[in-house]
Amino acid sequence: AQSVTQLDSHVSVSEGTPVLLRCNYSSSYSPSLFWYVQHPNKGLQLLLKYTSAATLVKGINGFEAEFKKSETSFHLTKPSAHMSDAAEYFCVVSERSSASKIIFGSGTRLSIRP
Amino acid sequence: NAGVTQTPKFQVLKTGQSMTLQCAQDMNHNSMYWYRQDPGMGLRLIYYSASEGTTDKGEVPNGYNVSRLNKREFSLRLESAAPSQTSVYFCATGVLDGRTDTQYFGPGTRLTVL
């Protein structure tokens, strides 16, 4: 069975400092991994995805994530936080091409201090 | 090109009332999904439809029914609403083919059951 764990429910950083949102996964197969962002009262928007190509994945708004199979991790990073990054972030794992096997993490709320 | 639209945006029901949440997509995707989002729990799959004419249960289907009316529309029905169904409901569409593997979400319906 597959699962995904977001290690922090809330992360707070100062504007201009690095962001690290942690995600560990468990999967019996070669998974696809995603990060989605949800701004307040909005739907989810895809930030980036890993589907067995390059292990370092670049997304929108300066975010990137590295797939580390040995550590079963897919942490999201950004070198310099901006106030507009304040949102909820979800790590998602899916078994390739399986509609029913898409598992969402519980989310990490990112706050940005001025 | 609206992407994924949901109606209504907000709804308040009394226990035992019924209602249908509507979802439509103009992205020409085969797969459509209904999720619910509860605080601290991420998104949980209620039902999904891999193609027109097919529907399958997800993780939390009890108390819900769905209809895949055509390729564009996928509705979610609560026959007898309960307070435990107070949640934010998201419709999504997507492509799960081992290459794209991306979901696109609607803006959500915020439902309160009194």
Side-chain angles (χ1 to χ4, degrees):
Chain A
Q2 57 182 359
S3 65
V4 59
T5 302
Q6 292 185 241
L7 297 167
D8 307 291
S9 59
H10 182 214
V11 170
S12 179
V13 303
S14 297
E15 189 175 20
T17 64
V19 174
L20 170 63
L21 305 184
R22 299 182 295 165
C23 173
N24 285 353
Y25 71 93
S26 171
S27 178
S28 303
Y29 302 90
S30 296
S32 294
L33 293 157
F34 307 80
W35 278 98
Y36 285 84
V37 60
Q38 184 183 30
H39 288 95
N41 300 313
K42 301 288 187 184
L44 279 73
Q45 179 186 15
L46 180 69
L47 267 182
L48 50 80
K49 63 183 178 184
Y50 166 79
T51 55
S52 82
T55 56
L56 182 61
V57 182
K58 294 188 185 298
I60 61 172
N61 300 334
F63 284 94
E64 63 182 37
E66 185 171 8
F67 174 70
K68 291 187 176 180
K69 187 174 182 178
S70 61
E71 298 176 12
T72 61
S73 68
F74 190 57
H75 300 335
L76 182 70
T77 60
K78 182 174 181 178
S80 177
H82 191 272
M83 295 300 292
S84 61
D85 295 329
E88 188 95 17
Y89 291 79
F90 293 95
C91 182
V92 180
V93 60
S94 78
E95 290 182 5
R96 206 92 28 91
S97 303
S98 178
S100 65
K101 296 180 180 177
I102 302 170
I103 306 297
F104 283 74
S106 56
T108 298
R109 183 164 61 90
L110 177 63
S111 299
I112 312 296
R113 301 186 300 271
Chain B
N1 187 346
V4 182
T5 57
Q6 293 182 235
T7 55
K9 286 186 168 49
F10 302 93
Q11 184 71 49
V12 178
L13 294 178
K14 294 181 180 177
T15 297
Q17 288 185 317
S18 62
M19 78 161 295
T20 300
L21 282 65
Q22 306 285 355
C23 175
Q25 54 110 353
D26 61 5
M27 307 181 79
N28 202 36
H29 291 156
N30 286 324
S31 297
M32 297 187 74
Y33 313 83
W34 276 106
Y35 290 93
R36 60 178 289 172
Q37 182 181 30
D38 300 296
M41 299 187 72
L43 273 70
R44 292 182 292 170
L45 184 65
I46 305 171
Y47 271 93
Y48 69 97
S49 171
S51 62
E52 184 179 352
T54 69
T55 61
D56 287 285
K57 295 178 180 179
E59 180 185 354
V60 289
N62 291 345
Y64 305 95
N65 286 301
V66 291
S67 296
R68 184 72 182 270
L69 304 170
N70 47 56
K71 190 171 185 178
R72 289 188 65 249
E73 298 172 290
F74 189 38
S75 62
L76 178 72
R77 183 160 178 84
L78 286 70
E79 291 291 352
S80 179
S84 61
Q85 294 179 303
T86 294
S87 188
V88 182
Y89 292 84
F90 287 100
C91 176
T93 182
V95 179
L96 294 179
D97 58 2
R99 291 178 288 111
T100 306
D101 287 1
T102 301
Q103 290 179 299
Y104 301 87
F105 289 83
T109 295
R110 191 172 297 271
L111 175 67
T112 301
V113 183
L114 302 175

